[in-house]
Amino acid sequence: MIIIAGTISFDPAKRDALESGFATMQAETLKEAGCEAYDFYLSRHEPGVVFMFEKWASDEALGSHMASPHMAAFGTVMGAIGIKGVDIKKYSGATEGPLF
């Protein structure tokens, strides 16, 4: 299992462009083999910050995603939202179980 999680800081005035681009990206990504979760959450208290979370079955599935046409198209969106910072991490080899 592979987890991708982190934050992107962007120009808050570009929020609509990010949301539109991500909606398209998410719809296509969730169709991919090996994609178990793919979402983003805009910060409620910090305008211009988005939290990303992805869950993949394998490195191969993630690699295919990174090479997909919709990932390339999303790169254009990312270039247009005034990125101020990126802190996204990959966690691999995790085990999964209930918290409580």
Side-chain angles (χ1 to χ4, degrees):
M1 172 179 27
I2 309 296
I3 301 291
I4 307 295
T7 60
I8 297 173
S9 301
F10 64 98
D11 178 352
K14 309 287 184 169
R15 178 182 170 151
D16 289 345
L18 174 64
E19 286 189 281
S20 175
F22 191 83
T24 300
M25 178 69 166
Q26 182 183 42
E28 292 303 312
T29 300
L30 288 172
K31 296 175 189 174
E32 293 182 49
C35 179
E36 298 176 6
Y38 195 88
D39 218 330
F40 85 116
Y41 309 90
L42 291 161
S43 176
R44 292 186 195 175
H45 69 277
E46 197 171 354
V49 173
V50 62
F51 300 92
M52 302 197 59
F53 178 82
E54 306 174 27
K55 184 176 170 186
W56 296 91
S58 65
D59 275 318
E60 294 77 18
L62 177 59
S64 293
H65 166 68
M66 296 302 286
S68 69
H70 48 275
M71 184 67 174
F74 190 63
T76 302
V77 172
M78 295 294 284
I81 63 169
I83 300 278
K84 297 178 180 180
V86 176
D87 183 18
I88 300 173
K89 305 283 193 269
K90 174 184 172 185
Y91 302 88
S92 59
T95 57
E96 184 175 47
L99 177 61
F100 299 102

